[in-house]
Amino acid sequence: MNLRDQRKAETSTRLIAAARQSFVELGYADTSMDDLCASAGVTRGALYHNFGGKEGLFEAVVRQIDHEIGEKLIAEAGDDITVEAFTRTCIAYLEMALDPDIQRIMFQDGPSVLGQSLRDLDQEGSLEPLREAIADLQASGQFRAADPLALAVLINGALIDAALWIAAGEGSPERMEQASKAVHVLIGGLAT
């Protein structure tokens, strides 16, 4: 990486860190680009050059969080190819909707700022691991036969909507408990 690319990467890293903190503390609407740039120690021009504006920076923060969620879920799943492990991993995703930082950015501000792009972004990182897990469960005879990608789309959509529902209740433990029970019913219906 040449010096120019290195500086751009460092600037992006500082902006994402400052934005993430501001989006959590103030929310997207109340985050000032001037304050954000001052906090990151960069000019407004650097923000526009690296992200095209506030929405592009917000998307970069969402991508970072989405990647972190994916890593946590992969670690949660481990190498255990069982219906129980799959169910546990789906519930772990929902539990992340209880984290105030994730809740604020991904499930409260995310839909209004990014719209359908939020769903598209989630599918980029979620569908293939879900499809693989479903295919493995089918291959081991633990899941009913159906197209693994179609099942991944359905389960992913159900999990996202449940996480949005939990977040809309401001991380309601009651909603989390209800969603967790529903995941057991949903996944149990696919089990053989």
Side-chain angles (χ1 to χ4, degrees), residues 167-187:
E170 297 183 14
S172 161
E174 294 81 21
R175 286 187 180 191
M176 179 60 215
E177 184 179 336
Q178 292 165 347
S180 179
K181 288 177 182 176
V183 166
H184 281 283
V185 170
L186 178 68
I187 303 303

Side-chain angles (χ1 to χ4, degrees), residues 12-97:
S12 292
T13 299
R14 286 198 319 267
L15 278 165
I16 290 170
R20 185 169 177 167
Q21 181 177 349
S22 184
F23 293 146
V24 166
E25 291 174 5
L26 304 173
Y28 179 83
D30 291 332
T31 292
S32 155
M33 290 198 322
D34 289 334
D35 292 345
L36 194 143
C37 289
S39 175
V42 302
T43 64
R44 213 173 210 217
L47 184 145
Y48 283 106
H49 178 72
N50 286 292
F51 299 102
K54 185 176 170 182
E55 186 176 319
L57 181 56
F58 184 80
E59 181 178 326
V61 170
V62 167
R63 284 183 181 278
Q64 182 183 65
I65 292 170
D66 189 60
H67 177 76
E68 291 168 5
I69 289 171
E71 292 297 313
K72 287 178 186 175
L73 293 177
I74 288 169
E76 175 73 32
D79 294 330
D80 191 5
I81 303 172
T82 63
V83 172
E84 293 78 20
F86 185 81
T87 303
R88 202 173 48 246
T89 303
C90 291
I91 291 170
Y93 173 80
L94 295 180
E95 288 171 345
M96 290 182 203

